[in-house]
Amino acid sequence: MTEFELDWQREARIGIPEAVLCGSKSPAQIDAILDAADDRRLLLTRLDADKLSRLAARHRAALDHDPLSATAFHGAVEAPTLPGPCIVCAGTSDMPVVREAARTLAFSGRCSTVVADVGVAGLWRLMRRIDEIRAFPVVIAVAGMEGALFSVIAGLVAAPVIAVPVSVGYGVATGGTTALHSALASCATGITAVNIDNGFGAACAALRILNRMAASDAPG
Amino acid sequence: MTEFELDWQREARIGIPEAVLCGSKSPAQIDAILDAADDRRLLLTRLDADKLSRLAARHRAALDHDPLSATAFHGAVEAPTLPGPCIVCAGTSDMPVVREAARTLAFSGRCSTVVADVGVAGLWRLMRRIDEIRAFPVVIAVAGMEGALFSVIAGLVAAPVIAVPVSVGYGVATGGTTALHSALASCATGITAVNIDNGFGAACAALRILNRMAASDAPG
Amino acid sequence: MTEFELDWQREARIGIPEAVLCGSKSPAQIDAILDAADDRRLLLTRLDADKLSRLAARHRAALDHDPLSATAFHGAVEAPTLPGPCIVCAGTSDMPVVREAARTLAFSGRCSTVVADVGVAGLWRLMRRIDEIRAFPVVIAVAGMEGALFSVIAGLVAAPVIAVPVSVGYGVATGGTTALHSALASCATGITAVNIDNGFGAACAALRILNRMAASDAPG
Amino acid sequence: MTEFELDWQREARIGIPEAVLCGSKSPAQIDAILDAADDRRLLLTRLDADKLSRLAARHRAALDHDPLSATAFHGAVEAPTLPGPCIVCAGTSDMPVVREAARTLAFSGRCSTVVADVGVAGLWRLMRRIDEIRAFPVVIAVAGMEGALFSVIAGLVAAPVIAVPVSVGYGVATGGTTALHSALASCATGITAVNIDNGFGAACAALRILNRMAASDAPG
Amino acid sequence: MTEFELDWQREARIGIPEAVLCGSKSPAQIDAILDAADDRRLLLTRLDADKLSRLAARHRAALDHDPLSATAFHGAVEAPTLPGPCIVCAGTSDMPVVREAARTLAFSGRCSTVVADVGVAGLWRLMRRIDEIRAFPVVIAVAGMEGALFSVIAGLVAAPVIAVPVSVGYGVATGGTTALHSALASCATGITAVNIDNGFGAACAALRILNRMAASDAPG
Amino acid sequence: MTEFELDWQREARIGIPEAVLCGSKSPAQIDAILDAADDRRLLLTRLDADKLSRLAARHRAALDHDPLSATAFHGAVEAPTLPGPCIVCAGTSDMPVVREAARTLAFSGRCSTVVADVGVAGLWRLMRRIDEIRAFPVVIAVAGMEGALFSVIAGLVAAPVIAVPVSVGYGVATGGTTALHSALASCATGITAVNIDNGFGAACAALRILNRMAASDAPG
Amino acid sequence: MTEFELDWQREARIGIPEAVLCGSKSPAQIDAILDAADDRRLLLTRLDADKLSRLAARHRAALDHDPLSATAFHGAVEAPTLPGPCIVCAGTSDMPVVREAARTLAFSGRCSTVVADVGVAGLWRLMRRIDEIRAFPVVIAVAGMEGALFSVIAGLVAAPVIAVPVSVGYGVATGGTTALHSALASCATGITAVNIDNGFGAACAALRILNRMAASDAPG
Amino acid sequence: MTEFELDWQREARIGIPEAVLCGSKSPAQIDAILDAADDRRLLLTRLDADKLSRLAARHRAALDHDPLSATAFHGAVEAPTLPGPCIVCAGTSDMPVVREAARTLAFSGRCSTVVADVGVAGLWRLMRRIDEIRAFPVVIAVAGMEGALFSVIAGLVAAPVIAVPVSVGYGVATGGTTALHSALASCATGITAVNIDNGFGAACAALRILNRMAASDAPG
């Protein structure tokens, strides 16, 4: 009864490779999926070091695992060469999510540039780097707590801004809902948001945009 | 004390024209803003027919008002000619939000194509038109209730998908939170969301993408 | 003061056998219940491997325990022979709940057929098996995250559809409320829902329907 | 742009006729739908007397409207003759929802029997009629406030029990969430629930069961 | 800075002895409080076995600790002789809360009688003992999940009914809010509620009533 | 289908007369209930002046209606003579709820004494009257906003304290949840609470206590 | 029973004059309070034009009413001369709350300076005036939607910053909770918040600070 | 990619030194920050004993760590000499938050005086010390559960009152939202609040006030 069916057609259909969210899967289930994958490429997310250590040795050895982001590559992944987004974040605590996005992009061949620790409480840090940020085709903004970064960024750059709320903080910030709602209710126009802590999803949204830009014969 | 300062630099800075959210403004406040705008173009949203009727006669006459979407154009707006997104919606009740998005796009010179009434309860309706939808550079998906449309669409098209949850429905659907959460928690990857009922915001997000596509020398 | 009184009349009264929810009971309390049960049949749910290991040895040995679903049979249970529902699920992470439903049905002599990994993000997987699903008298649909599966299934099959939301996912999906609300707010008509992660309850609801079908002189 | 596409295939596909939820539609939108329906049968829900009065005269005259339930039949509907569920409710305030369920069943040719005012605060009222209720193939239980009726009923009858929470009450009962959660968290096994105030949905769920019973060659 | 000031006047002022909620206090803080108490009587709640084991040996030895309820008596407590309430509960999982109430009453010299496992899913269990329950001056009703017990009890007995919602259950029952809201929104009149899992508070409320009854020259 | 069945046995069974919550009932439904009541006494709550004006003239004339509390007496009610509770409230805005409690008590023959405007922001007002309040067998405390009154009162009086949270206030106080939670989470022991705005329920809870006090041969 | 007791000692005790929140009071209740006030000064808040028009003529004429803020002065109020805070706001929709704060300050003799329309979506507007804002002893920041203004301001000025969240906006911004949580979870340190829409409370908090500054012999 | 940029300009800009919230940072990240700080002063919060023990030995030895408050000073901190606030709390469980505030103040050279265990359930304890509290320029009030202390304090003292809700308690008090809402909805005017458990933030808010008082040439 543990049969499963991966969506190997996904990359061809929508340009995003199949990925496995490991958070709620047992090591045995992940082992079975990796066996079925055979030599096909697969991105694994939410695979923390502890769960990795409980996989079959043959899989442990074969995976390219990154502990900070809890992601792993199954199958050969070359160094990315295609242009990609700028990933901007408010603080050190956001780095696991930043890294999940960067790894997802790299798995699809896209570079990414991280601009870290530009929270709005010390606005001069962001302003110093804003021209650099403006040069990218897409911006992924990552922030927890009150998420004010989303509004400030979106008011300053013309590119698509994908907000990733992060579940850092305590009290009313617990779980990331405040940051999520800040992104959605922003007074700055044209921000879109993905789920809390969803660096993977933000990268996929960026891939959809970048793939279309690459494919397009320049609409408009 | 009723001074205000519009952000006339916005269009030059980020490619999105200044807009006025009229929902929580009094007719007198809106009149003052229109006076200040003089002959500059301005998009007004959440301006329903009742509030329109309470504006100064000179403004009432000059505005191009659309009752279904409660939007108005101040200043000359030519028929749109630039290519734009496909706007897909689940049912008739979503049309005010669909129309707010379409009008915002038109204000910036972008065409849009509406594919209505393709809710997933009768899946054949969506499948019949899916190839048509796949041809667009961006898809705006508009749905209330459980928002299953977002996941089905995003599983079938490669373009960026911007989800607009709508506050139709009753019981647990009241206010649109269920549809919003469905967009954010979707098993289909790479969906982004805007605030509930925010057709304007979805259009602005699409404009950011389309403007970049137009400007780009095809990254990647 | 640790007296208790099981509802042994339940099976005769409503066709569903007495069951013990072990999640919030101590091993000592469960031991006492099993002693009182004597040789009467009893279904135990939410009995994980750790708690099982802390039961009295005589009970540990006598129980037919399934770790994936955390269920156990006390007393003889023969292989099921009566027809039962199709259990459809969106992904591997849903299997503990799927299995809790299947085990509950088996305890009452009902077979069940599992159709796994048919999430709507890769719609072709579901469409390939839809005719098979349509042949069953009842469908139990199990899904977490945004629960779009419920609407798609209910739009395609005529049988009663019992939705079981699952608490997998993170961010706004945490705890399963999004999937629950999607089932309740579905645009597809006639879905009913049980509590989050309640595979047992879904099976009991299916038993009520199947028992009545078996008993009926075909109403209507 | 006001195009729409009704799902006329629904009745053939899943045995439930197409219906129009009028709550969030304008009179003009409803008029257009009725014109498109031509002489096909259509059930309208959430059509209150005020909105009815704003429809085109030709439609107003042709509809069979029931003010208590805010439902209307478009097209000929004969008196129901097929057996149907028992609808049990806790009090007078639940009658609009009870009636919405009964009208939906009648539209599909199903009779229904209402047992009203059997709230558990005066348990003798329910006990006096419990044998009568037990005779039905399906029970729809309708209750607001704390929804204790759901548990008491489901502990006493063997038939499928479909709970409809109602948004009557104040304070913590406001909006019906307490009653909904009581249905879902019930200690009585095998209850299923539909959305708050969704008499229509409960009737559709009952239709799915009754249709299958009628069609079945008695499984099990 | 770890000074504190117990309210030793409480018993004289309102008839309820000073108690210490240990859940959020460190072992060192509890040790300091016990030292300060000297030979005065003190009731400790939420003192689980693990925290007990980390207290100073002299305190560990002197306390009369009950693991099920996580309560402890400091100082001599004689066997209760005064009449007290009936404590009714729905299932075995409620026993820790039941016991916290009983121990609090015993600390103040009040007897209590427990009627367990009378959940409404098997109504005959409650009906068999209802006359016994009716004889008590006060009823404390303890229930988790949907809390239907509160309404059924309050509809059958004339005594004051104090509802204690319990945080057992999963999904929408998690944390006990559903049971709490059921008590507050009950269709049965005159129920009052205390906080979730607050067996101590229910006992104190009962003490207020019983003390007044004892003191009164029979009002009315 | 508008049949109903009042619980005329309630007063004999639990000492609280049958009452009709008019908030969600139509004038026609209330008229039918009053006709059925014939010459039996009935308390009506949530019957505001507007709904009263839409009742049949014969009922309008016969009812003893109080607009502030929106209550009405059907049938002869003599001036109360039995001793009753003290009703303490924080401010003028709480008076409708205070009055609903007082009217309910009066309907059952109980006097009540109101001590108004003793909110804790001006503590001297409460302290000046605390000895007077201490003399009553039961205290009903009525407060909205943050409900600090509940804790202060319960720390000062030995009688049973029944808290009634009120839905006055704005922002986080909207709907009364903050006051309700303050009553439940109070650091003062032995407070019990009823639903928000439920002056009727608080009075019924007081009746249960007072009736038992009157009946008792002084337990303890 | 409509007795009340104003806290005339408040101004002497804590430096803030007695005020009357009119939102949940009837015109009759307000008339009675004004009669009792006699010639003492009183600030009335949440007194909209409609309720004002229903007061007794003698009160209507005597009050100094401001419709935008829905405040009124009872008794003579001279033009303010004492220095006060800067009130900064994000947009025109915030002006009723801004004005409620300014009027409360004026009632106590304090001037205030309003800097409007400096929302962070057009950051240049705020930066242009930041030096001016820095000169004030206290800053009151007023913002709805996502409340990013709070963080940006608090990162730039050294003065105490009192955040007033405003209930403008729709979707997740509805009711002002997002703005409130942004103030509380801000990455900028030392912000404090008052209730949503509570311009009056922010002014009182500023008064507490300003009064102490005036009284102090310069601590530190 | 683990670069970061501390805001060393903060103290000069707004008078509050840079601080590091360690709760969501890894030991490696904290080590890197401390290395970068070099010999500059830095306040670390939410650094519990376990995480401290996993820092590099050179940092462990150099930090002045306080386990109760989980704070640490990096760099030389002299004993405070400047006058500061009174910190009032309701009970022993609030001491970690009290201490976080006191340590933050000490880091900036400010003294603080703690008045503990003055919860309103035993009002005499607070009243005995109220004159002492009134002498301070600022009051920080720390309370969990229902937070009634905030209102009572603010009604009695004229100084600025900064409320810090604490996440102690269970049931509806879980997480501290009830105490937070009590502070915001208080009937006592002019209270401001910081985030739940945010002793650090309350101290920073007090610093803003005290710094301004010290700097001011007595406004008003």
Side-chain angles (χ1 to χ4, degrees), chain C residues 13-14 16 82-83 134 136-137 154-155 157-160 184 189-195 200 204-205 208-209 212-214 219-220, chain D residues 13-14 16 82-83 134 136-137 154-155 157-160 180 184 189-195 200 204-205 208-209 212-214 219-220:
Chain C
R13 199 172 67 244
I14 61 168
I16 299 173
L82 298 171
R134 279 182 173 133
F136 286 85
V157 308
L184 293 167
T189 50
I191 296 176
T192 60
V194 296
N195 197 4
F200 165 72
C204 290
R208 286 177 180 265
I209 296 172
R212 274 283 150 138
M213 283 182 179
Chain D
R13 199 172 67 244
I14 61 168
I16 298 173
L82 298 171
R134 279 180 173 134
F136 286 85
V157 308
L180 170 62
L184 293 168
T189 50
I191 297 176
T192 61
V194 295
N195 197 4
F200 165 72
C204 291
R208 285 177 181 265
I209 296 171
R212 274 285 149 136
M213 284 180 178

Side-chain angles (χ1 to χ4, degrees), chain F residues 6-99:
Chain F
L6 292 182
D7 186 13
W8 298 114
Q9 312 179 353
R10 183 173 299 168
E11 189 148 22
R13 199 172 67 243
I14 61 168
I16 298 173
E18 176 67 307
V20 177
L21 176 68
C22 300
S24 52
K25 293 189 178 66
S26 68
Q29 288 177 320
I30 299 168
D31 277 333
I33 288 171
L34 292 174
D35 285 337
D38 201 6
D39 60 353
R40 281 172 291 201
R41 286 160 26 101
L42 206 50
L43 173 66
L44 295 93
T45 63
R46 311 262 160 155
L47 178 67
D48 59 32
D50 176 62
K51 193 170 279 185
L52 176 75
S53 73
R54 292 156 63 207
L55 295 187
R58 67 181 178 283
H59 294 144
R60 252 191 350 256
L63 291 173
D64 167 2
H65 184 258
D66 172 63
L68 180 61
S69 61
T71 55
F73 298 160
H74 175 261
V77 177
E78 297 183 16
T81 55
L82 297 171
C86 181
I87 309 179
V88 182
C89 77
T92 312
S93 305
D94 305 320
M95 292 308 289
V97 175
V98 167
R99 186 101 181 149

Side-chain angles (χ1 to χ4, degrees), chain C residues 65-174:
Chain C
H65 184 258
D66 172 63
L68 180 60
S69 61
T71 55
F73 298 159
H74 175 261
V77 177
E78 298 184 15
T81 55
L82 298 171
C86 182
I87 309 179
V88 182
C89 77
T92 311
S93 305
D94 305 319
M95 291 309 289
V97 174
V98 166
R99 187 101 179 149
E100 187 184 81
R103 289 268 293 177
T104 300
L105 288 158
F107 187 74
S108 284
R110 293 276 173 190
C111 301
S112 55
T113 302
V114 175
V115 175
D117 244 341
V118 291
V120 301
L123 199 59
W124 59 272
R125 296 177 297 190
L126 176 61
M127 298 315 281
R128 210 176 48 169
R129 303 193 66 177
I130 194 66
D131 285 333
E132 179 186 350
I133 297 168
R134 279 182 173 133
F136 286 85
V138 175
V139 174
I140 294 175
V142 179
M145 306 186 81
E146 94 288 38
L149 181 66
F150 305 138
S151 294
V152 173
I153 287 275
L156 293 171
V157 308
V161 176
I162 301 166
V164 194
V166 178
S167 62
V168 298
Y170 54 90
V172 299
T174 305

Side-chain angles (χ1 to χ4, degrees), chain D residues 66-70 92-101 199, chain F residues 24 29:
Chain D
D66 172 62
L68 180 61
S69 61
T92 312
S93 305
D94 305 320
M95 292 308 290
V97 175
V98 167
R99 186 99 180 152
E100 187 184 81
Chain F
S24 52
Q29 288 177 320

Side-chain angles (χ1 to χ4, degrees), chain B residues 47-93:
Chain B
L47 178 67
D48 59 31
D50 176 61
K51 192 169 279 184
L52 176 74
S53 73
R54 292 156 62 205
L55 295 187
R58 68 183 176 282
H59 294 143
R60 249 191 352 255
L63 292 174
D64 168 2
H65 184 259
D66 172 61
L68 180 61
S69 62
T71 55
F73 298 160
H74 175 261
V77 177
E78 297 184 18
T81 55
L82 298 170
C86 181
I87 309 179
V88 182
C89 78
T92 311
S93 305

